[in-house]
Amino acid sequence: MKTKMTLACIGILLSAVIISAASKSKITVVPLGGDDNMKLTEEAVTYLSASFSSQNAVTVKEISPKLKFKAEMVFSGDKLQPPSDEKLLPLRYGVSPESSFTSDKYGLSGLSLRISAYGVIPQTPYYLYIMDNAASSVIREALLPVTEKDGIQDVTVLFDPIVNSKNKSYSFTVVPAGIERDSIIGISVKPEPVNANKELGKLKDIVNFVPLYAGFSITDTEKEKTRDIDYLSSADYMVFTEVSLKNNLSVLTLRVYSVDKDAIIFSTEEAFNGSEDLMSKSAVLVERVASALSDKLPNISLQPTMGTSEQGVFVSWKPALDGYKSRVYRAVKISGQYSMVGTSDSSSYIDHSAEPGQLYWYRIQPFNAQVNGDLSQAAPGYRKMIPKGADIQKLLAAKKLTPPAEKTAAAQKAVKDEIAFIKDRYMNSVKLTVMMTFGKSYIDSGTVFVFENMPLYSMDLRKREIYFLNDNALVTFNAKSLFRLRESAMPLPSHLIATAEFGTEGNADNYAATGFSAPQQDLRWNDTDAPSLEFSVGKPAGDLFVDMHLAPPWAEEPYTCKKVEVFANGTSAGSVTLTGNGRYRVVVPQELISGDKLRLAFQVSGTVSADKENPHPKAAFYSVSVSRKFLKNDLFSRLMDNGVFYCIYEQDIPVLQNDGTIKYIPQFSAVGMSTEYFKDNKAWKSETVTFTTSDEALLKRVKKIKPEKK
């Protein structure tokens, strides 16, 4: 107890010296917040007032929570306008709506957003990122409260005030924490800070945003009347004091409000452990406030490197701080927690301990024997991940397995049917050997990288591109022949039960079709929320595939259909998100099939609620097929799981992880792909299917590359 009290007294004396030399400003210490931590807030106000008042140069006034005043942080902004056709537009391919704005006040503290979630439950968290106008660095991040709702949602997202925001421009985006599915909401900015490959994380709608600004309201709790700040204090500065719980730690936060600028001009915080520690930490914070008001600690511009070195992150800052050392802190999120990784006597530091690819947020804290400066604004940096593919020799050496046999006669026949379907696509064994021999020099030199075991993939049916992802690489493959195989196998002819064809020559009405428009050439539109068909399927021994040839109304309506949910005999069997004209598949479990009938209903959802301002969502139906499912995976999935990709390196791209952190991984373009029905089949030389990229520009680039020895 004596030691802590002595340290606190020393801190008070130091702050008194600094303040007396710096300014004769009048300061009022104001408690901020509710009743949860009011006892500690009272103590903090007392300690801070004593520290500020320890010399006569500064006039200090305390508004005590024990009396009748309570301060609360408030946010102001214009009300959102009702939605309209002009202000609610879907983000389509290649179209980036305006995402930047200029702040007209100090203390930018939030955004009020009007958005649509497409009636889909977000499966991952969504984050709002506030960035500089060039979208080159993230300044603030905050969790976005999005819930399942068919219509438009108004949400408010608050973050720590950006102190000197007046007349500065900012951009923002909304991103999902993970890429298991397409983004539901968002706005595209260039360059995009996360999920840079649009096809992996398609960004959709965002509408109407209003900047919010932080202010303070001081209330006479007895008379329930809000008083103007100037009425209660003629001070130059008001130090709003708040005790809160962050990451299970008690944190004392000070926000310095300038009456002249009508804005927060400085904020700082310290974690503390109990009331005894609170006194010493109060003195530390007063030192920082005094240094900030006296301009002893200039604004620091931090510049960590973004993937320029495989050895580490080079962190530099300006200006050089004469007479100060610097502590270097980092965190995997801009919001913390920050841990010290080292100190520097100069204006730079090399972080050799950074994990390759992981994006870190760096802050520095200048200090000397007398003063601990405040932490700088956070800036991002990452250590380059070394692109590394599979060892082609080990991969080929593993191909010595005998194909396993299925247990049931039906499954065995299904395997024979699928092998027969792809047999004509086997590559000639001699050509395959020549190709592997020729390509080995490129692989050995590091010009071409080989990847396998890419379990996560998504497709863009419109562009005929497929994207494969693992922890260390993203592979983009544009191959029209691959998609032709996929669509010809949906369904596999030998497994087909029935197909309903739409259009003027179609037979859809034979399947009790309801809720569809009149035939139009090859298609019909849905005329209701849930058009339906009925199939006779006998009594299937297992699950069924439902394959749909669908397309969204890209040109016909201003609101594109993004989601079609399939109901089997009244129960949801799954949904698909339309990315273009193509075939989509859901699996109907056997338990949903009643008797020998399968009634399929298609719930077509739009981007917004269906009212007079938002036309009813539609989808184009070309065909619906029902087929038997005999094996665990369908043919296309099996070929993708067993695929080997031959790629060239393009760039590093940021990918948002499930925990909300960002990782920069190498992005590759696949020149070709080889796959087998049975993985590591000893007969691979005669039973391999190959696909070549349809990207002619990529092929021309590869032809110009000459392999070099490592």
Side-chain angles (χ1 to χ4, degrees):
M1 178 70 177
K2 278 188 176 182
T3 303
K4 290 185 177 179
M5 291 294 289
T6 302
L7 288 173
C9 292
I10 291 173
I12 291 173
L13 291 174
L14 287 174
S15 65
V17 173
I18 294 170
I19 294 176
S20 62
S23 166
K24 293 185 179 180
S25 302
K26 296 179 181 179
I27 295 175
T28 298
V29 182
V30 184
L32 177 65
D35 299 327
D36 292 344
N37 297 291
M38 191 52 71
K39 183 178 179 181
L40 289 172
T41 302
E42 291 177 20
E43 292 184 33
V45 168
T46 302
Y47 297 147
L48 292 167
S49 298
S51 187
F52 278 123
S53 300
S54 58
Q55 47 83 39
N56 294 326
V58 177
T59 302
V60 176
K61 181 179 179 181
E62 174 186 341
I63 299 180
S64 173
K66 293 181 180 179
L67 300 178
K68 56 184 178 181
F69 298 111
K70 181 175 72 174
E72 293 183 321
M73 201 164 188
V74 296
F75 298 87
S76 63
D78 296 330
K79 291 183 178 180
L80 291 174
Q81 298 298 316
S84 67
D85 288 343
E86 290 75 30
K87 293 186 177 181
L88 179 56
L89 294 175
L91 173 61
R92 298 180 180 177
Y93 289 96
V95 179
S96 297
E98 183 62 45
S99 64
S100 62
F101 63 95
T102 300
S103 172
D104 61 357
K105 297 179 183 178
Y106 293 101
L108 176 64
S109 304
L111 286 181
S112 185
L113 304 168
R114 173 160 284 173
I115 61 176
S116 167
Y118 296 92
V120 180
I121 302 174
Q123 296 183 350
T124 58
Y126 284 76
Y127 288 91
L128 171 73
Y129 283 84
I130 301 294
M131 299 164 285
D132 58 24
N133 194 40
S136 59
S137 63
V138 177
I139 299 172
R140 296 288 189 272
E141 70 172 23
L143 187 65
L144 190 67
V146 180
T147 57
E148 179 183 20
K149 194 174 181 181
D150 289 334
I152 294 168
Q153 299 177 68
D154 291 335
V155 297
T156 297
V157 183
L158 302 178
F159 42 80
D160 287 340
I162 301 174
V163 176
N164 296 313
S165 60
K166 188 172 183 179
N167 297 326
K168 292 185 178 179
S169 295
Y170 300 93
S171 60
F172 67 94
T173 190
V174 177
V175 294
I179 58 170
E180 298 89 350
R181 56 171 300 136
D182 291 345
S183 304
I184 298 171
I185 53 178
I187 180 169
S188 177
V189 295
K190 296 180 179 180
E192 295 171 1
V194 294
N195 282 345
N197 189 293
K198 293 181 182 178
E199 289 71 26
L200 268 178
K202 297 180 184 66
L203 304 180
K204 310 296 187 203
D205 281 355
I206 196 164
V207 295
N208 270 8
F209 66 92
V210 176
L212 304 176
Y213 301 93
F216 295 95
S217 172
I218 300 179
T219 304
D220 184 328
T221 55
E222 290 184 359
K223 298 180 180 180
E224 296 184 351
K225 182 179 179 181
T226 299
R227 303 294 188 91
D228 184 78
I229 288 178
D230 290 335
Y231 175 81
L232 293 168
S233 171
S234 60
D236 300 306
Y237 302 99
M238 303 187 75
V239 179
F240 288 91
T241 306
E242 181 178 20
V243 174
S244 59
L245 193 65
K246 294 183 180 181
N247 299 317
N248 296 320
L249 295 173
S250 295
V251 177
L252 173 60
T253 302
L254 304 187
R255 295 183 176 91
V256 181
Y257 175 87
S258 168
V259 175
D260 178 54
K261 291 185 175 181
D262 188 23
I264 300 168
I265 61 168
F266 182 73
S267 62
T268 184
E269 66 182 25
E270 276 287 338
F272 65 91
N273 184 18
S275 58
E276 294 182 8
D277 192 30
L278 177 59
M279 183 175 182
S280 61
K281 293 300 174 60
S282 297
V284 168
L285 294 181
V286 168
E287 293 176 14
R288 294 184 192 166
V289 172
S291 297
L293 295 181
S294 64
D295 293 327
K296 277 198 167 187
L297 295 177
N299 289 328
I300 298 169
S301 175
L302 201 59
Q303 295 179 317
T305 54
M306 293 288 287
T308 59
S309 172
E310 298 173 355
Q311 305 304 314
V313 181
F314 182 75
V315 186
S316 61
W317 52 90
K318 295 179 181 179
L321 303 172
D322 295 336
Y324 287 88
K325 296 181 179 180
S326 296
R327 300 185 184 100
V328 181
Y329 295 84
R330 80 177 186 204
V332 292
K333 294 183 180 180
I334 191 173
S335 56
Q337 297 180 345
Y338 285 85
S339 301
M340 191 174 76
V341 292
T343 60
S344 174
D345 296 334
S346 64
S347 58
S348 64
Y349 176 82
I350 300 177
D351 183 8
H352 293 290
S353 64
E355 178 186 338
Q358 176 66 56
L359 183 71
Y360 294 98
W361 296 91
Y362 290 90
R363 304 175 77 177
I364 69 161
Q365 181 188 40
F367 71 97
N368 59 24
Q370 289 78 36
V371 175
N372 283 308
D374 195 18
L375 289 169
S376 68
Q377 288 284 349
Y382 76 94
R383 178 181 180 179
K384 186 174 183 61
M385 181 185 293
I386 302 174
K388 188 177 181 181
D391 186 323
I392 188 65
Q393 296 300 329
K394 291 182 179 179
L395 188 150
L396 295 176
K399 294 184 181 299
K400 55 185 179 182
L401 301 181
T402 300
E406 295 290 339
K407 295 181 180 179
T408 67
Q412 291 170 8
K413 183 180 184 306
V415 169
K416 290 181 179 179
D417 291 341
E418 292 186 342
I419 291 176
F421 184 79
I422 63 171
K423 194 170 184 179
D424 290 342
R425 295 171 173 83
Y426 286 161
M427 189 173 190
N428 179 277
S429 59
V430 176
K431 289 183 178 180
L432 181 61
T433 302
V434 171
M435 183 186 75
M436 297 298 294
T437 303
F438 178 74
K440 187 175 181 301
S441 60
Y442 286 86
I443 297 169
D444 291 343
S445 69
T447 305
V448 172
F449 295 81
V450 179
F451 292 98
E452 63 171 346
N453 300 324
M454 306 290 280
L456 180 64
Y457 66 88
S458 64
M459 291 177 286
D460 185 331
L461 298 187
R462 189 180 73 92
K463 290 187 174 181
R464 293 296 190 259
E465 288 184 344
I466 188 166
Y467 312 95
F468 299 87
L469 182 70
N470 63 19
D471 291 337
N472 300 307
L474 167 69
V475 173
T476 301
F477 191 31
N478 180 315
K480 294 179 181 178
S481 59
L482 181 62
F483 282 86
R484 285 195 295 268
L485 180 143
R486 174 183 178 271
E487 295 190 0
S488 62
M490 293 177 65
L492 207 65
S494 58
H495 299 170
L496 178 65
I497 295 175
T499 297
E501 297 282 352
F502 295 87
T504 55
E505 302 296 326
N507 64 346
D509 289 333
N510 295 339
Y511 297 95
T514 62
F516 294 97
S517 71
Q520 299 178 25
Q521 294 183 342
D522 296 330
L523 61 88
R524 290 170 71 172
W525 299 96
N526 61 294
D527 263 354
T528 65
D529 281 338
S532 63
L533 298 166
E534 185 171 285
F535 293 89
S536 295
V537 295
K539 293 183 179 180
D543 301 341
L544 299 178
F545 286 127
V546 174
D547 294 309
M548 302 160 286
H549 183 181
L550 305 173
W554 294 105
E556 287 76 4
E557 294 190 6
Y559 301 102
T560 59
C561 168
K562 298 298 180 185
K563 176 189 168 189
V564 176
E565 187 168 8
V566 180
F567 291 82
N569 295 327
T571 302
S572 176
S575 63
V576 296
T577 299
L578 305 190
T579 59
N581 187 329
R583 296 186 181 274
Y584 300 85
R585 168 171 280 181
V586 296
V587 176
V588 176
Q590 183 182 13
E591 57 266 23
L592 298 186
I593 302 168
S594 177
D596 64 349
K597 299 295 184 183
L598 175 61
R599 187 73 184 179
L600 296 175
F602 308 92
Q603 179 69 52
V604 184
S605 301
T607 60
V608 292
S609 58
D611 57 37
K612 61 182 180 181
E613 293 182 345
N614 301 303
H616 188 82
K618 292 184 179 180
F621 284 75
Y622 292 88
S623 67
V624 175
S625 298
V626 179
S627 60
R628 295 178 179 85
K629 180 179 184 291
F630 294 102
L631 304 170
K632 181 180 179 181
N633 293 326
D634 62 29
L635 175 60
F636 184 78
S637 298
R638 185 167 188 154
L639 294 177
M640 295 305 98
D641 290 344
N642 296 343
V644 178
F645 307 91
Y646 307 90
C647 314
I648 62 172
Y649 171 75
E650 297 285 3
Q651 61 182 341
D652 290 351
I653 67 163
V655 174
L656 197 60
Q657 307 298 299
N658 290 336
D659 61 359
T661 63
I662 296 172
K663 187 175 182 180
Y664 275 78
I665 65 173
Q667 179 190 10
F668 298 85
S669 292
V671 180
M673 169 190 174
S674 63
T675 187
E676 309 155 86
Y677 189 83
F678 296 107
K679 186 174 177 62
D680 294 333
N681 183 3
K682 64 181 181 181
W684 68 273
K685 288 185 179 180
S686 59
E687 297 179 8
T688 293
V689 180
T690 61
F691 302 93
T692 303
T693 181
S694 301
D695 187 338
E696 294 182 2
L698 177 61
L699 288 173
K700 289 179 181 179
R701 284 171 52 199
V702 173
K703 289 178 181 178
K704 292 179 180 179
I705 296 174
K706 294 183 179 180
E708 298 178 1
K709 293 182 179 181
K710 286 186 177 180

